[in-house]
Amino acid sequence: MILQMAAINELKEHYNIDVSELKKLPGDVDYRNIKYEVAAKEGEKYILKIFPDKDELDLAIEETWLCNRIAPLLSFKVPLTLTCKNDELFFSSSEGPAKILHFIEGDFIMNVEQTPALLYELGEKTGEMLHALKGINSPLIRSRKIFWDIQNAELSFNRLQFIREDETRRKVHYFLDRFSQFVAPKLRFMRHSIIHGDLNDHNILVKDGRVEGFIDFGDSTYSPVVSELAVACAYMMMDKSDPVEDVLPLINGFCRVYPLEREEIEALPEMVAARLCISLCNSAEKRDSGVDNEYVLISEEPARELIDKLIEINPLRIKERFLEAGGFDFGSMRNRRERILSVRKKNTGSSLSLTYRKPVYMTGAAFQYMYDENGSAFLDTCNNIPHVGHCHPVVSEAVSKQSRILNTNTRYLYDTMADYIERLLEYFPPGLDRVFMVNSGSAATDLAVRMAQTFSGRGHMAVMEHGYHGNTLTAINMSSYKFDGKGGGGKPHNVIKLPLPKLFRGKYATGEEYAEEAKAILEEGKQKGVMPAGLIAETVSGCGGQVPVAPGYFKILQPYLKENEILTVIDEVQTGFGRLGEYFWGFGMHGIIPDIVILGKPMGNGFPVAAVVTTGEVSAAFNTGMEFFSSFGGSTLSCKAAGAVLDVIEAENLRGNAGKVGTFLKGELLKLQKIHHVIADVRGEGLFLGVELEDEKGNPDTKTSSLLINRLRDKNVLASTDGPFNNVIKIKPPMCFTEKNAAHFAGMLDEFFSGSG
Ligand code: PMP
């Protein structure tokens, strides 16, 4: 109050202004300047700005000069500083050097309807301002380096940690990473200028539906010119139903006045996202340090929502629309699709199959979304290889960095394999402490079978009906899914096949009965002098149609296996790494400890890495004198990738997420089962679920399953089927799948089965 009194007196003294009211305005916590709105008795309004900080004062002097220089060149207003009675632009107030600005009347653009015409005009005015700024040279502004400046977005990497919500953090990381990889290296070759730098929705004033003025040049920097547009786009895209389409008039208007070059526009989408990321990192850090300033946190929610939307939009679509708005042709990718199809046809075998009647040509992916060449984005419900999410930046970064440092094989010593093995074994019970690294689930199966056979000196193996363990000769021989399936040669002579202990439409109602049957089959062989080296099995049969092995089966069978020195070989390629939610491994769910475990698929998030985990005893028996070597198995790089996957599983609590979202989704599917008779069974755990379809006669409904996945594909959802009749929808999405995704997927199924989808 005393300060305000002093200010009132000072304004009278220096400007002859009779103050009727002085209202303090909110400010950014990063700046120390103090702002007041001043109402004068004559009805005029002003802004009083006080600069207690010397550096800020220097900048304010520069800003004052800048605005005075460009104002005459503009068709709209920028803040102009009044001169004091003594012809100075600043005066000494009791709180520090201060100045008075003319008040620009109008509403903040955030508070008015942002019509296409208004956004077009905003674009034009932004372009006009850039023209005016072109001739300005300010060494002080040129030397500024601030984190808000998009070209410095990488400064926000180390503030990611403050974003508490896993979902937001991973997306912000993703967009910062894209900026860093694809845009930052190009920016310095683009046109630069002094720019306003902060055309956010608080700094744009609108009067009578027209742009009245831009305020607050306090974030002016010397930056790529396209940054100016990117900041405005970022804020104008917030709170819009279709942010990409809605912002086009802004780009259009800007480019009419200030034509951009093709690569400037191509950088725009990533720059927009980067600005949102900067804002989110800033809000998170401020929140973390206890700041609860409305002005600082105001954009947090809309920025987060926009980042959410952006990940669900194919970047090609954004690029195409932005280019068109800037007057460029995006071009068609049609020829490329044809070329790919032709090469596959001419130069590979037709045993490579494609999903969907109209195969999808993928051009990108992020987490649980995949992007095609036509600008569509798909929700991925069935790819379990990108376990922690497609293109997760933590994994990409780890691989990319390590590939620049060292990638060698197990004949040398290096850290990453030892680091990984130690970490991996923390997830295993004591006893399972030997790890052999390979590069595919098939190679792991091959090795596991070889180990079992070496251990016992027996050549036979027991397998489970419908099981799948890989594509090598040995793995095919272990896979009833293959040898009993199309083109298969039938059960090999050294394989004993056990029925799949399934409860749905099963022969028995309990795991115990199935276990007894398995024992009987093995016993029969024993009588004939045939004992297998091991039993290789999944705990939930993936290719068999997402069939969980009946509870109790392994527990009851294992003592018999042990008695007869038959090793339990559990294939965790599909079920492992937390996918089941509560249990990190499927064998944990069955309360058994296997002798050999096969790992693959999710282990490297798409990077080829797999392993066999076994006991010291089995490992010792395998040491026959023959060297075990794999060129890529256990390579520096593959172990780095695998380590990054564990990092993400832990950092984002993806196992917890699989449990939570899986339970929610299963609940939704069970609700659908009650309404739609075609859904005969809903089963599975965590994010490893199956929906089995049957027709009215109770026969497998392969036709509807195929129709369904093709229809879903047309509706931008990737789903897939499996099982001996291809009538089971297999649900095994990237582990970052959300409840929102699950609800969407269930909604799509409902729509389809209701006949409206
Ligand atoms: N085991 C299981 C259970 C699998 O699902 C697969 C692959 N679908 C494999 C092994 C073979 O893995 P890969 O394709 O990496 O060789």
Side-chain angles (χ1 to χ4, degrees), residues 38 123 143 146 187 262 322 362 434 478 675:
V38 181
S143 67
I146 61 173
L187 278 187
R262 187 181 181 98
F322 281 14
M362 293 300 183
R434 302 296 152 111
M478 297 299 124
I675 322 170

PDB file of all heavy atoms in Angstrom, residues 38 123 143 146 187 262 322 362 434 478 675:
ATOM      1  N   VAL A  38      -2.613   0.880 -14.520  1.00  0.00           N
ATOM      2  CA  VAL A  38      -2.858   2.195 -13.937  1.00  0.00           C
ATOM      3  C   VAL A  38      -4.091   2.818 -14.594  1.00  0.00           C
ATOM      4  O   VAL A  38      -4.156   2.904 -15.830  1.00  0.00           O
ATOM      5  CB  VAL A  38      -1.644   3.133 -14.197  1.00  0.00           C
ATOM      6  CG1 VAL A  38      -1.874   4.505 -13.580  1.00  0.00           C
ATOM      7  CG2 VAL A  38      -0.358   2.502 -13.688  1.00  0.00           C
ATOM      8  N   GLY A 123      -2.062 -14.492 -38.314  1.00  0.00           N
ATOM      9  CA  GLY A 123      -0.925 -14.948 -39.124  1.00  0.00           C
ATOM     10  C   GLY A 123      -0.335 -13.790 -39.915  1.00  0.00           C
ATOM     11  O   GLY A 123       0.889 -13.584 -39.926  1.00  0.00           O
ATOM     12  N   SER A 143      22.402 -12.066 -28.001  1.00  0.00           N
ATOM     13  CA  SER A 143      23.215 -12.900 -27.108  1.00  0.00           C
ATOM     14  C   SER A 143      22.360 -13.644 -26.073  1.00  0.00           C
ATOM     15  O   SER A 143      22.866 -14.427 -25.288  1.00  0.00           O
ATOM     16  CB  SER A 143      24.252 -12.036 -26.383  1.00  0.00           C
ATOM     17  OG  SER A 143      23.567 -11.158 -25.506  1.00  0.00           O
ATOM     18  N   ILE A 146      17.521 -18.283 -23.808  1.00  0.00           N
ATOM     19  CA  ILE A 146      16.499 -18.597 -22.810  1.00  0.00           C
ATOM     20  C   ILE A 146      15.831 -19.927 -23.134  1.00  0.00           C
ATOM     21  O   ILE A 146      15.741 -20.322 -24.285  1.00  0.00           O
ATOM     22  CB  ILE A 146      15.444 -17.472 -22.657  1.00  0.00           C
ATOM     23  CG1 ILE A 146      14.697 -17.227 -23.973  1.00  0.00           C
ATOM     24  CG2 ILE A 146      16.081 -16.198 -22.163  1.00  0.00           C
ATOM     25  CD1 ILE A 146      13.548 -16.248 -23.833  1.00  0.00           C
ATOM     26  N   LEU A 187      17.989 -26.364 -37.759  1.00  0.00           N
ATOM     27  CA  LEU A 187      17.537 -25.010 -37.452  1.00  0.00           C
ATOM     28  C   LEU A 187      18.587 -23.953 -37.728  1.00  0.00           C
ATOM     29  O   LEU A 187      18.280 -22.873 -38.213  1.00  0.00           O
ATOM     30  CB  LEU A 187      17.114 -24.909 -35.978  1.00  0.00           C
ATOM     31  CG  LEU A 187      15.710 -25.392 -35.635  1.00  0.00           C
ATOM     32  CD1 LEU A 187      15.393 -25.056 -34.195  1.00  0.00           C
ATOM     33  CD2 LEU A 187      14.674 -24.780 -36.560  1.00  0.00           C
ATOM     34  N   ARG A 262      10.156 -24.393 -47.733  1.00  0.00           N
ATOM     35  CA  ARG A 262       9.598 -25.728 -47.503  1.00  0.00           C
ATOM     36  C   ARG A 262      10.130 -26.345 -46.211  1.00  0.00           C
ATOM     37  O   ARG A 262       9.383 -26.851 -45.379  1.00  0.00           O
ATOM     38  CB  ARG A 262       9.914 -26.632 -48.696  1.00  0.00           C
ATOM     39  CG  ARG A 262       9.214 -27.959 -48.589  1.00  0.00           C
ATOM     40  CD  ARG A 262       9.525 -28.883 -49.744  1.00  0.00           C
ATOM     41  NE  ARG A 262       8.791 -30.105 -49.550  1.00  0.00           N
ATOM     42  CZ  ARG A 262       7.636 -30.394 -50.124  1.00  0.00           C
ATOM     43  NH1 ARG A 262       7.103 -29.583 -50.997  1.00  0.00           N
ATOM     44  NH2 ARG A 262       7.007 -31.518 -49.840  1.00  0.00           N
ATOM     45  N   PHE A 322       0.173 -28.660 -43.098  1.00  0.00           N
ATOM     46  CA  PHE A 322       0.941 -27.434 -42.891  1.00  0.00           C
ATOM     47  C   PHE A 322       1.603 -26.994 -44.204  1.00  0.00           C
ATOM     48  O   PHE A 322       1.615 -25.812 -44.538  1.00  0.00           O
ATOM     49  CB  PHE A 322       2.018 -27.639 -41.804  1.00  0.00           C
ATOM     50  CG  PHE A 322       1.479 -27.577 -40.387  1.00  0.00           C
ATOM     51  CD1 PHE A 322       0.117 -27.649 -40.131  1.00  0.00           C
ATOM     52  CD2 PHE A 322       2.352 -27.441 -39.298  1.00  0.00           C
ATOM     53  CE1 PHE A 322      -0.373 -27.603 -38.821  1.00  0.00           C
ATOM     54  CE2 PHE A 322       1.873 -27.377 -37.994  1.00  0.00           C
ATOM     55  CZ  PHE A 322       0.516 -27.467 -37.750  1.00  0.00           C
ATOM     56  N   MET A 362       3.244 -48.899 -43.152  1.00  0.00           N
ATOM     57  CA  MET A 362       3.591 -48.125 -41.963  1.00  0.00           C
ATOM     58  C   MET A 362       4.744 -47.150 -42.246  1.00  0.00           C
ATOM     59  O   MET A 362       5.749 -47.535 -42.827  1.00  0.00           O
ATOM     60  CB  MET A 362       4.026 -49.056 -40.826  1.00  0.00           C
ATOM     61  CG  MET A 362       2.919 -49.925 -40.284  1.00  0.00           C
ATOM     62  SD  MET A 362       1.558 -48.925 -39.634  1.00  0.00           S
ATOM     63  CE  MET A 362       0.496 -50.237 -39.023  1.00  0.00           C
ATOM     64  N   ARG A 434      21.802 -68.529 -14.586  1.00  0.00           N
ATOM     65  CA  ARG A 434      22.708 -68.575 -15.740  1.00  0.00           C
ATOM     66  C   ARG A 434      21.962 -68.044 -16.951  1.00  0.00           C
ATOM     67  O   ARG A 434      20.852 -68.492 -17.242  1.00  0.00           O
ATOM     68  CB  ARG A 434      23.178 -70.001 -16.040  1.00  0.00           C
ATOM     69  CG  ARG A 434      23.885 -70.680 -14.879  1.00  0.00           C
ATOM     70  CD  ARG A 434      25.172 -69.945 -14.539  1.00  0.00           C
ATOM     71  NE  ARG A 434      25.474 -70.139 -13.138  1.00  0.00           N
ATOM     72  CZ  ARG A 434      26.494 -70.861 -12.693  1.00  0.00           C
ATOM     73  NH1 ARG A 434      27.305 -71.442 -13.539  1.00  0.00           N
ATOM     74  NH2 ARG A 434      26.700 -70.982 -11.400  1.00  0.00           N
ATOM     75  N   MET A 478       9.245 -78.288 -32.427  1.00  0.00           N
ATOM     76  CA  MET A 478       8.681 -78.184 -31.077  1.00  0.00           C
ATOM     77  C   MET A 478       7.304 -77.524 -31.101  1.00  0.00           C
ATOM     78  O   MET A 478       6.677 -77.356 -30.064  1.00  0.00           O
ATOM     79  CB  MET A 478       9.596 -77.335 -30.163  1.00  0.00           C
ATOM     80  CG  MET A 478      10.971 -77.894 -29.930  1.00  0.00           C
ATOM     81  SD  MET A 478      10.865 -79.508 -29.135  1.00  0.00           S
ATOM     82  CE  MET A 478      11.781 -80.495 -30.308  1.00  0.00           C
ATOM     83  N   ILE A 675     -23.782 -59.201 -23.750  1.00  0.00           N
ATOM     84  CA  ILE A 675     -24.708 -58.642 -24.749  1.00  0.00           C
ATOM     85  C   ILE A 675     -24.590 -59.367 -26.092  1.00  0.00           C
ATOM     86  O   ILE A 675     -25.561 -59.542 -26.788  1.00  0.00           O
ATOM     87  CB  ILE A 675     -24.411 -57.141 -25.005  1.00  0.00           C
ATOM     88  CG1 ILE A 675     -24.035 -56.412 -23.716  1.00  0.00           C
ATOM     89  CG2 ILE A 675     -25.584 -56.454 -25.683  1.00  0.00           C
ATOM     90  CD1 ILE A 675     -23.506 -55.007 -23.949  1.00  0.00           C
TER      91      ILE A 675
END
